[in-house]
Every structure is written in structure tokens, then in C-alpha cells.
């Protein structure tokens, strides 16, 4: 049984080099289904509903966008709300951005950039909101402090983070679900490990304190997620 009192330091398989293209694409397809099943998009969409957005086109940058499913969910949300949005997905893995591009062809307001999240050229996009979803747990504490600082520097208005809550119930629930429905060895291994690598509320507070971020809202949401909003 994992020790949930501290974060796991094991690496997820999707973070390693040499994973076959078809295996990555299969995993991304399944993860989109899992997110849809568990209501995973609601954390970001709820945050967008609470932010007082200006009456103009809003530029939203998704760091570590993976297969781009979160951006497609935002595009649909914006269409229903009558909001103008320009959506930019950033991922360093070209197989991710290729998959995301192919899946997002029907959305003319979504584009993808293959780049590291610390690439200085990202400043040129001048995003209003910088967000990520199920991305932060990939970083150790020191890296995560730098990542949150980076997101805060890039954003004109707000930072939004959606990530997992490390808890035994979340771990065994997703382990059982993926064993039952997944055909991907990547998903079966990485999904529960993602929970084991994720942060508690107190650990998140340490990240904010290290960045001197006082205007931070952290809220627990289903399914075992933290919704974090940092206003500027």
C-alpha cells in the first residue's frame, strides 16, 4: 500500500521518452473519456464562471495541454456563454500536440504550440488566463514553485489550476476504474500514480507562500480535485 503521507517520486510512463505514438494516442483518447465520465472539466469551467472576464476576446493558455480535450471543453463553454476566446495549448511532446491538433480541427479558435512551458517565446502570446489541468503533479516541489511563478508572470488576469488530491480513496478508485475500462498500460499505470504524486492542501499552501501569492483561492471539488485560482 502506498504511503499517502508523502508524495510519490516515481515517474509516470507518459513522461518517459521512447513511448510508441499509437500508445500515446490510445492513452490520450482514454483519458478524455475518463475526464468526461468523472466530470473533470467542471473544475476549470467553474473557475471561468467565477472570474469577472472583460467584454473582449480572452486569450487562454493551457500549459501541458496533452490531447487538448480541456481546450475543446472551454471552446464549447465559450460558445454557449457567448464569450470570445482564443485558446492556446502548449506541450513539449510533439506527439501530444499532433494528436491535439487533429482532434481540434473543427475549432478555429484553438491552436497548439510544441514548446517547453518555460520557453520565453510564450510571452509573445500575451495570455489573459494561464491554466493547467492535471499537470502540476508531474513536477517536484522546487519545479512546481517555478512553474506557478511562471504562470503568474505570464497571465494578465488570473491563473487557474486543476489538479488531483492525494488520498487513498482517490487512488484506489481510479485504479479500479482504469483496470475495468482501460486497454492502455499507460493509463492503468499512470492514473493511480498521478494521485500518489499529487499534493495535499497544506503542500499547495507551501507553494503559494514560496511565491508570495496571497490572492489565492483553493477549493476541493469532485472528483478529488483541487481548484486553484490566483488573481493578479
Amino acid at each position: 500500500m502506498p504511503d499517502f503521507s508523502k508524495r510519490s517520486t516515481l515517474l509516470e510512463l507518459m513522461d518517459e521518452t521512447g513511448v510508441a505514438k499509437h500508445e500515446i494516442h490510445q492513452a490520450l483518447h482514454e483519458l478524455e473519456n475518463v475526464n468526461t465520465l468523472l466530470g473533470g472539466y467542471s473544475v476549470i469551467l467553474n473557475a471561468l464562471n467565477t472570474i469577472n472576464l472583460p467584454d473582449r476576446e480572452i486569450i487562454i493558455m493551457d500549459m501541458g495541454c496533452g490531447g487538448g480535450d480541456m481546450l475543446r471543453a472551454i471552446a464549447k463553454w465559450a460558445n454557449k456563454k457567448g464569450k470570445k476566446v482564443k485558446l492556446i495549448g502548449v506541450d513539449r511532446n510533439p506527439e501530444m500536440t499532433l494528436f491535439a491538433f487533429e482532434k481540434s480541427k473543427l475549432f478555429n479558435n484553438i491552436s497548439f504550440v510544441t514548446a517547453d512551458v518555460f520557453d520565453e517565446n510564450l510571452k509573445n502570446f500575451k495570455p489573459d488566463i494561464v491554466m493547467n489541468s492535471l499537470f502540476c503533479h508531474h513536477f517536484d516541489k522546487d519545479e512546481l514553485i517555478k512553474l506557478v511563478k511562471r504562470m503568474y508572470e505570464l497571465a494578465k488576469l488570473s491563473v487557474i489550476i486543476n489538479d488531483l488530491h492525494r488520498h487513498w480513496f482517490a487512488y484506489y478508485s481510479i485504479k479500479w476504474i482504469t483496470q475495468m475500462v482501460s486497454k492502455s498500460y499507460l493509463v492503468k499505470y499512470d492514473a493511480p500514480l498521478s494521485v500518489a504524486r499529487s499534493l495535499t492542501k497544506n503542500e499547495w499552501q507551501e507553494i503559494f507562500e514560496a511565491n508570495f501569492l496571497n490572492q489565492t483561492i483553493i477549493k476541493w471539488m469532485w472528483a478529488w480535485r483541487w481548484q486553484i485560482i490566483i488573481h493578479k
Side-chain angles (χ1 to χ4, degrees):
M1 179 176 179
D3 180 4
F4 296 106
S5 67
K6 58 185 179 182
R7 296 181 66 192
S8 172
T9 58
L10 295 175
L11 295 180
E12 296 182 33
L13 296 179
M14 287 270 278
D15 288 339
E16 297 182 358
T17 58
V19 181
K21 174 181 175 180
H22 73 278
E23 296 287 3
I24 292 175
H25 290 190
Q26 172 68 22
L28 292 174
H29 175 73
E30 289 191 7
L31 289 173
E32 183 169 357
N33 291 338
V34 170
N35 265 325
T36 302
L37 175 68
L38 297 180
Y41 304 124
S42 62
V43 177
I44 296 292
L45 301 182
N46 174 269
L48 290 172
N49 281 325
T50 66
I51 296 173
N52 186 21
L53 299 174
D55 188 21
R56 59 171 173 80
E57 182 181 67
I58 303 299
I59 302 174
I60 300 176
M61 177 177 287
D62 182 7
M63 290 188 155
C65 65
D69 50 317
M70 187 70 248
L71 291 178
R72 293 190 289 277
I74 294 174
K76 294 172 184 176
W77 167 87
N79 186 52
K80 290 180 181 178
K81 294 284 186 177
K83 302 284 187 182
K84 283 181 158 185
V85 294
K86 180 179 180 182
L87 305 170
I88 304 163
V90 179
D91 204 292
R92 70 179 183 181
N93 188 334
E95 293 300 342
M96 301 282 191
T97 50
L98 173 63
F99 178 91
F101 172 77
E102 292 294 331
K103 290 276 287 185
S104 306
K105 285 184 175 180
L106 295 179
F107 301 89
N108 58 16
N109 57 346
I110 303 179
S111 60
F112 296 95
V113 180
T114 305
D116 187 272
V117 294
F118 294 103
D119 190 324
E120 287 300 309
N121 290 323
L122 296 181
K123 293 180 179 178
N124 298 330
F125 293 100
K126 299 179 179 179
D128 295 291
I129 294 173
V130 178
M131 55 152 283
N132 61 46
S133 188
L134 307 186
F135 182 58
C136 286
H137 62 265
H138 292 267
F139 296 82
D140 65 28
K141 183 178 180 180
D142 290 341
E143 293 169 337
L144 190 48
I145 289 171
K146 293 177 183 178
L147 175 64
V148 172
K149 180 181 179 181
R150 171 68 166 164
M151 295 175 71
Y152 188 79
E153 290 172 345
L154 285 175
K156 289 182 183 177
L157 300 176
S158 301
V159 170
I160 305 174
I161 294 171
N162 163 33
D163 219 298
L164 299 161
H165 172 202
R166 188 174 75 249
H167 191 279
W168 67 266
F169 185 83
Y171 178 90
Y172 287 108
S173 293
I174 198 62
K175 189 177 182 69
W176 179 80
I177 290 171
T178 53
Q179 288 294 328
M180 290 291 291
V181 305
S182 175
K183 297 179 181 178
S184 167
Y185 77 95
L186 293 171
V187 172
K188 290 178 181 179
Y189 183 84
D190 283 358
L193 179 56
S194 294
V195 176
R197 286 185 57 89
S198 63
L199 283 72
T200 63
K201 187 174 184 178
N202 287 340
E203 289 165 345
W204 271 116
Q205 294 290 0
E206 292 176 5
I207 301 298
F208 305 143
E209 289 171 5
N211 281 298
F212 304 101
L213 299 173
N214 298 318
Q215 301 299 317
T216 302
I217 302 167
I218 178 168
K219 182 170 72 171
W220 190 94
M221 295 185 68
W222 180 259
W224 298 91
R225 306 289 181 93
W226 294 118
Q227 180 197 74
I228 297 163
I229 306 174
I230 308 170
H231 295 298
K232 298 196 77 170

